[in-house]
Every structure is written in structure tokens, then in C-alpha cells.
Amino acid sequence: MVNHHNLSEAPGARSSHLRATPTMGGLAFFVALILNLFLFKHVDNDAIGLNLSAALTLIFIIGFKDDLSVSTPRARILMEIIAILIILFNINFHIESFEGFLGFYDAPQLILEILHIFIALTIINAFNLIDGIDGLASCIGISIFSILGLIFFRLNLMFYFLLCVSLISMLMAFLKYNFSHQKKIFMGDTGSLVIGFCIAFLFIRFLTLDSIHFETFAFKPENKLFILIAILAVPLFDLVRVIGIRLMQKKSPFIADKNHIHHVLLSLGWPHYKIAIVLGGLNYALAILIIYLSTWLNSWYMLTVLILIFTVLLGFFYKLKTTIPT
């Protein structure tokens, strides 16, 4: 059916593959998620399942459209904002304070809602951009959902824990076909947008948890946002780095290129599986380090640590890129 309807990605200037490959992995993700949301409704204490199903359907539509024929960035972002707003209609997905983040506490509700939308958009598109080689998005996704799953399990929020477990299972099953030479399949924009939206959804729920939940953990409530940055460290670093390079080159930040960190490692001759495992492991390591530091440092010190880590990584990948033969 995929071949009959021409639902394959042909190799292009930025592609690291030599033949057309089916891109409908995201369809399986979407169907599995909708079925799981139905099965998990008995533990959905926030009554968010219906909102999430509707939001995921919108994300699936724009992703499917992208896999068939590329959508404009404006159309994609508009659909993503609508999907995020559907989630924010739920009363449990709101906060009333910054809880001491960088010295800020109270803020107008509108500012907080805009912040949620901005964070979610950043997460969705950072994950979408990291999906450039076999296994990378899956390995990064597994690292993210495993950490979030442990947090939600510790807080006894079983709906979100089971959602994380389901997503990990889907990504692990998908890896078999993504790494295969004979039965290779891509998740496509459909898959990366659906998975990215699930990450954004879980991140917003984490941010909107009442401070009393954090008595279970050692880290400070004011560091909640830094903990989320840590969990998504590699995709966020890659997003900021690539946008910075494009702007310095006076190019649009939305124009695709080969400046991603996985492109740098590919140019050094690394195989796909090695890049996926190394960057997935790096994401784990950074998350563990930053979460550990968040138990000791206030938000200003944490900001300094993140800037330092970003600068070190920036220098490291710049040095790697200079070693690539021209």
C-alpha cells in the first residue's frame, strides 16, 4: 500500500540513504496511542484523555500532510498551537506561579499560558529536527520517556506513567525496522511530530504539578524548568545551535541544512546506530548530571551551569566539524 500510494521518502541532498524508504511509521504510533488512551481511561484522574486524543489527531493530520507534501512552517505552527490549546483547556494544566524561578513568583495567567505554548512549540520542533538518521529520534525518545516515567511513577501518577511505558515500547519496537536493511521504515514527520507532542504534553503536566508533589524529590521546585531542559538536553542543544548557525549565515531558521550534530558525526564516518546510541547516552548523562545539581543549586546557579555546559558542547562540536575533510 505504501508503494502503491507513493508514501516513501526518496533520497535527497540532505539524505543519508540511497533508496526510497516508507515513511508511515508514525501512523502506527498514532493508532497505538489512541488505543492505549482508551485502555488507560480508568486511571485518567485528570480527565485529559479525550483532550489528548483530539490534540494528537490534529498533530497526526499535519504530520501526515507533511509526509505527503511539505506544509508551510506557518500552517504547521498554527495547527500545533491549536493542539496545545486543546490540552490547556483542562483545568489541571495550569499554574499560577513561577515558584521562585530566577527570583520570579507571581505572574499574570496570560503570561504563564503563553509560556506553556512557547515551551511546547519548542519541544515539538526540537524533537522533529533531531529525526535525521536511523534510530536517533527513537533513542532520544526512549531516554526522555524513561526519565519522565520514573518521575510520574514515583508521584503515583499512573496515567502518565503508563503513557511513558507505551511510548517506550512503541519506540523500541520501531527500532527493529528503522535499523533494518531489508524492511526499513521511517517514522516520518507524522511520527516525530506525534512523539514530540507527547513529550510536550508530559512536560507541561510536570510543570503544572503542585509544589507539594516535589516533597517526594530532593530537587527544588524553582528548578522544574531546568530539569525539563536537562531531560531534552540534546535536541534543545541541537535546535539552538542550528538556529544560531543559520542566523549567523543570514539564512532563514526554517530552511533545512546539514549543520545538525548528527550530520557532523556522519561526516566523520560514524554509522547511524553508533550516533543514535552515543547521543541517546549523552542525553541520559546530561539529564542525570543536571537533575543531581538541581538538588543543591538555586535557579540562578543552575542557569550558569547550563550556559557552561552549552558552551562546552558548542566548542566540542565546532572542533569536531573543523576536522571534517573538505
Side-chain angles (χ1 to χ4, degrees):
M1 185 185 78
V2 170
N3 292 329
H4 177 71
H5 293 282
N6 195 29
L7 302 179
S8 296
E9 179 180 305
R14 297 176 62 250
S15 178
S16 56
H17 299 87
L18 301 177
R19 61 182 180 180
T21 305
T23 61
M24 289 294 103
L27 175 60
F29 292 166
F30 173 73
V31 173
L33 278 170
I34 297 300
L35 289 175
N36 282 328
L37 290 175
F38 173 76
L39 294 174
F40 299 158
K41 63 182 181 180
H42 65 287
V43 291
D44 182 12
N45 296 327
D46 290 335
I48 191 63
L50 185 60
N51 300 58
L52 182 55
S53 296
L56 283 171
T57 301
L58 286 180
I59 295 297
F60 170 77
I61 290 170
I62 192 65
F64 192 74
K65 169 66 168 59
D66 262 359
D67 284 330
L68 294 177
S69 61
V70 178
S71 304
T72 64
R74 181 178 299 179
R76 179 190 287 191
I77 290 174
L78 178 60
M79 291 288 278
E80 289 170 359
I81 290 174
I82 294 172
I84 296 163
L85 289 174
I86 291 173
I87 297 298
L88 295 180
F89 283 148
N90 187 289
I91 193 172
N92 295 300
F93 282 70
H94 297 275
I95 57 173
E96 299 178 355
S97 170
F98 282 112
E99 298 181 292
F101 174 72
L102 299 179
F104 293 96
Y105 287 90
D106 297 328
Q109 193 64 41
L110 179 61
I111 299 297
L112 293 171
E113 303 301 341
I114 292 173
L115 178 64
H116 283 155
I117 294 171
F118 174 77
I119 290 172
L121 285 175
T122 302
I123 293 166
I124 295 167
N125 291 286
F127 190 80
N128 180 245
L129 288 174
I130 204 72
D131 181 29
I133 61 170
D134 295 343
L136 180 55
S138 295
C139 286
I140 295 290
I142 290 168
S143 75
I144 292 169
F145 292 125
S146 60
I147 297 171
L148 287 171
L150 287 171
I151 292 174
F152 287 123
F153 178 78
R154 189 71 180 85
L155 295 174
N156 200 33
L157 296 171
M158 298 311 294
F159 175 80
Y160 304 99
F161 167 70
L162 290 174
L163 180 59
C164 289
V165 172
S166 297
L167 287 159
I168 292 170
S169 301
M170 284 187 282
L171 291 173
M172 291 183 72
F174 172 74
L175 273 176
K176 173 184 176 181
Y177 297 97
N178 198 206
F179 281 138
S180 171
H181 294 292
Q182 302 302 322
K183 300 180 180 180
K184 185 181 294 294
I185 187 171
F186 295 155
M187 67 171 64
D189 282 334
T190 307
S192 61
L193 289 175
V194 165
I195 298 299
F197 186 82
C198 288
I199 296 171
F201 165 76
L202 293 167
F203 273 30
I204 293 175
R205 187 65 189 105
F206 179 83
L207 283 174
T208 54
L209 289 174
D210 192 279
S211 295
I212 194 170
H213 285 94
F214 292 93
E215 295 178 0
T216 307
F217 300 101
F219 52 72
K220 305 175 187 296
E222 67 184 276
N223 288 328
K224 282 197 294 187
L225 185 57
F226 290 128
I227 290 167
L228 295 183
I229 291 173
I231 296 173
L232 199 69
V234 169
L236 288 178
F237 166 72
D238 189 53
L239 175 69
V240 173
R241 177 182 170 277
V242 167
I243 289 178
I245 291 173
R246 291 172 185 171
L247 292 176
M248 286 191 295
Q249 294 175 345
K250 297 182 180 180
K251 297 179 180 178
S252 168
F254 301 107
I255 294 178
D257 55 30
K258 299 187 72 171
N259 283 310
H260 293 280
I261 54 179
H262 53 266
H263 287 133
V264 174
L265 297 176
L266 273 175
S267 299
L268 293 173
W270 287 31
H272 288 213
Y273 77 90
K274 183 177 180 180
I275 297 173
I277 293 171
V278 168
L279 292 183
L282 176 62
N283 202 69
Y284 262 124
L286 290 174
I288 293 169
L289 172 64
I290 296 171
I291 291 173
Y292 173 76
L293 292 175
S294 71
T295 66
W296 300 93
L297 305 176
N298 65 30
S299 55
W300 280 107
Y301 283 116
M302 286 300 300
L303 178 61
T304 304
V305 168
L306 285 177
I307 292 173
L308 179 61
I309 291 173
F310 178 84
T311 303
V312 170
L313 289 175
L314 197 63
F316 176 74
F317 280 100
Y318 174 79
K319 185 67 175 177
L320 276 184
K321 195 168 184 180
T322 61
T323 65
I324 298 172
T326 56

